Amino acid sequence: MTPASRRVLEAAGRLFYAHGIHAVGVDRIAAEAGVTKKTLYDRYGSKEQLVVEYLADRDERWRDFLGRRLEAVGEEPAARVLAVFDASHAWALERGGKGCGMVNAHAELSGPDHLAHPVVTGQKAWMLDLFTTLAAGLAPERREELGRALLLLHEGGLVAHGMGVFPEPLLCAREQARALLASV
Amino acid sequence: MTPASRRVLEAAGRLFYAHGIHAVGVDRIAAEAGVTKKTLYDRYGSKEQLVVEYLADRDERWRDFLGRRLEAVGEEPAARVLAVFDASHAWALERGGKGCGMVNAHAELSGPDHLAHPVVTGQKAWMLDLFTTLAAGLAPERREELGRALLLLHEGGLVAHGMGVFPEPLLCAREQARALLASV
DNA sequence: CCCACTTTAAACCGATCGGTATAGTCGTCT
DNA sequence: AGACGACTATACCGATCGGTTTAAAGTGGG
């Protein structure tokens, strides 16, 4: 990855997330990356491909961020679940002012045939699988139900944060998750 | 409201929701409404204003839809809470294939200075107030906490539905809401 | 030293964007 | 009859869209 292409991806990520994908043109991305459009197209080929790489990069950063937090918290399933909500809370504070980038992108992408569609749905499927796996360590017979419930709370927290419905919704979601797991 | 302006609003609502706001031009809206751009601009003045009226109209339809369902279910608070989830489930089936229109619009709108911003945040604030009021009828001392938890489950269900993470998420959210209220 | 690679600069393409202009038709209400 | 509001038709505006082109100027490794 060349220095210029890295700056392009950084600018694209910042602008796409802040203003939406359709609202940002490639000219602006190139300008803010300090790069010509030629360079941008040499590296990424098309805006659509740049969108795919933006989402894949954001997904990878999130999984790394979450992975480091899960490593630090140990093996106890309930603690790991709470660590997911804590990670989302921290993530939302530092680079998530507008809610979940995958959800926002999904709202703009036309249909399931878009190249970025599997990236978006893949993250949510991965999150559901993570919650379900953790739930299986607490109540194997209720793993499906608990995993889905945790995902609902998590997604709800992200949306509420993005729209500013009430303060610190991810900590509120974390508390509900704690109560839910305590009742098992 | 003239017949032409009604058709414009219908076409705008359908296209904005299905493809996103920035992805739909006024030419296409006018064409699908069977109307010239002149007529569209005579009635709505600008695309931005049309967006505002699209969201306000969708909000009004939702509140009417929900209001009729709440009327039919009686006065018992827990039953009314479940009726909200049932209403969202039914709404999502018939005109909500891409999740919450307000959340999707919020993802595309640049910032709090957009004319449509109060419409979007207003609906979420109204929903939080509704849940909190209903919760007050069950456990007045926990109304804030329960209202927020119900909102999280509800928003999570809408997002999960829009992205197709797992089937019938709003019924799953309803079941979690039922369990939450039963534990009070 | 050389060559392949990266990057810059600026002009250019057709298409579409939101928005406006002029002109004219139709039905309805006094 | 006449005025008025709703609407159609079409052409146009400057700006921006995604994308391409041609040129020249660094840059690092073999």
Side-chain angles (χ1 to χ4, degrees), chain A residues 140-154:
Chain A
E141 72 286 358
R142 292 180 63 197
R143 51 196 290 277
E144 289 284 345
E145 177 213 342
L146 288 177
R148 292 178 174 185
L150 291 171
L151 185 84
L152 292 181
L153 288 171
H154 187 251

Side-chain angles (χ1 to χ4, degrees), chain A residues 12-58:
Chain A
R14 180 167 38 83
L15 294 171
F16 283 155
Y17 180 72
H19 308 293
I21 291 171
H22 287 302
V24 176
V26 289
D27 295 86
R28 183 169 176 197
I29 296 172
E32 296 215 13
V35 153
T36 58
K37 288 207 290 176
K38 175 82 164 74
T39 302
L40 189 155
Y41 275 94
D42 283 347
R43 299 282 151 256
Y44 295 97
S46 69
K47 180 182 179 180
E48 185 172 14
Q49 191 57 40
L50 179 57
V51 169
V52 173
E53 308 233 23
Y54 147 61
L55 291 170
D57 179 66
R58 194 175 174 89

Side-chain angles (χ1 to χ4, degrees), chain B residues 25-26 37-38 41 46-47:
Chain B
V26 290
K37 286 209 291 176
K38 177 79 163 70
Y41 274 94
S46 70
K47 180 181 181 180

